[in-house]
Amino acid sequence: MSAISIDDCVIRPVRAEEWAASRELRLTALRDPVARIAYMDTYEEAVARPDSWWQERTANGARQFIAEMADGSWVANAAVLIEEAGTTDWTGSVVARRQGHLVGVYVAPGYRGSGLAKALFETVLEWAWGRGAERVRLLVHSDNARALGSYRKAGFVETGVTMSLGDEPDDLELELAVERPVPDR
C-alpha cells in the first residue's frame, strides 16, 4: 500500500444502521497481534455475539467514530463514553468530574504512522469538549508501546493512575488524559 494522506479519508460518527460494518472492524481489531493487551474483549467472545448485541452497541453505546476511505472501506476506529461526575465507572472507581473515556481505538496496519490516529483523536476530543467534558482519559497496557507512542503524540499524558485489570498483578494499565483547553481571553 502506498502512503496515504489523512486528506484521503473522512472521519465521521458511525450511524446505527452501520452496525454490521462496525462489527467487522471490531473483529478485525481483535485479530491484531496486540489485541490481547489492547482490548478487554477477545475475538472468540465478540464473534459469538448475536446481531442484536451489535445493533444495540452501535445505536446506544459509546459514540463511535471511524476513518472512511473514498472507496467506503473503514480503516480506523475510536469510541468515547461520557462519564458523569459522581458516578462509578466500569472499574468501580468514582468519577471525579465530567469526562470522556476513549475506548476501542484501532488503526489498520497500513495506515499506522500516517497521522490518521491523531486526526481521529482530534475529532473525538472536539466531540467530547462539545458535550462539556473537562478531560478525556484512556487506559493503555504498559506493554503496548505502539499505542502509548500514538497517544503521547496526540497530547495525552500519564496521570500517575495505574490499575491491574488482568490476571497478573504486574499486568498494568496506565491512565493517560488530555485536559480540556482553556479558551484564550
Side-chain angles (χ1 to χ4, degrees), residues 13-94:
V14 173
R15 296 180 293 271
E17 65 271 13
E18 295 175 312
W19 66 269
S22 177
R23 176 186 184 270
E24 288 310 308
L25 188 60
R26 177 66 172 187
L27 293 176
T28 298
L30 290 170
R31 288 189 295 264
D32 191 274
V34 298
R36 68 170 190 74
I37 61 170
Y39 304 107
M40 304 291 172
D41 198 7
T42 68
Y43 177 82
E44 294 75 20
E45 292 166 341
V47 78
R49 293 187 179 111
D51 290 352
S52 59
W53 187 92
W54 293 99
Q55 291 163 350
E56 174 66 21
R57 178 181 188 260
T58 306
N60 299 315
R63 187 59 169 147
Q64 182 180 1
F65 294 86
I66 52 100
E68 182 177 30
M69 301 306 293
D71 67 2
S73 61
W74 291 10
V75 298
N77 176 77
V80 65
L81 301 155
I82 296 294
E83 299 173 324
E84 297 295 341
T87 62
T88 302
D89 70 10
W90 63 274
T91 68
S93 301
V94 175

Side-chain angles (χ1 to χ4, degrees), residues 20-175:
S22 177
R23 176 186 184 270
E24 288 310 308
L25 188 60
R26 177 66 172 187
L27 293 176
T28 298
L30 290 170
R31 288 189 295 264
D32 191 274
V34 298
R36 68 170 190 74
I37 61 170
Y39 304 107
M40 304 291 172
D41 198 7
T42 68
Y43 177 82
E44 294 75 20
E45 292 166 341
V47 78
R49 293 187 179 111
D51 290 352
S52 59
W53 187 92
W54 293 99
Q55 291 163 350
E56 174 66 21
R57 178 181 188 260
T58 306
N60 299 315
R63 187 59 169 147
Q64 182 180 1
F65 294 86
I66 52 100
E68 182 177 30
M69 301 306 293
D71 67 2
S73 61
W74 291 10
V75 298
N77 176 77
V80 65
L81 301 155
I82 296 294
E83 299 173 324
E84 297 295 341
T87 62
T88 302
D89 70 10
W90 63 274
T91 68
S93 301
V94 175
V95 176
R97 53 193 171 141
R98 186 175 174 88
Q99 64 188 10
H101 189 148
L102 184 64
V103 297
V105 175
Y106 174 72
V107 177
Y111 298 88
R112 294 174 184 161
S114 67
L116 187 55
K118 187 171 190 243
L120 189 60
F121 298 150
E122 288 170 357
T123 301
V124 166
L125 292 172
E126 182 179 318
W127 182 86
W129 304 151
R131 272 122 198 104
E134 296 178 33
R135 73 176 192 149
V136 173
R137 69 171 179 153
L138 58 89
L139 295 174
V140 61
H141 195 282
S142 60
D143 291 339
N144 196 343
R146 183 182 72 213
L148 273 166
S150 181
Y151 297 137
R152 287 175 178 144
K153 269 192 215 177
F156 287 85
V157 296
E158 291 180 37
T159 66
V161 173
T162 62
M163 59 187 70
S164 179
L165 300 177
D167 296 331
E168 302 297 322
D170 61 346
D171 198 14
L172 286 181
E173 297 280 332
L174 310 175
E175 183 186 68

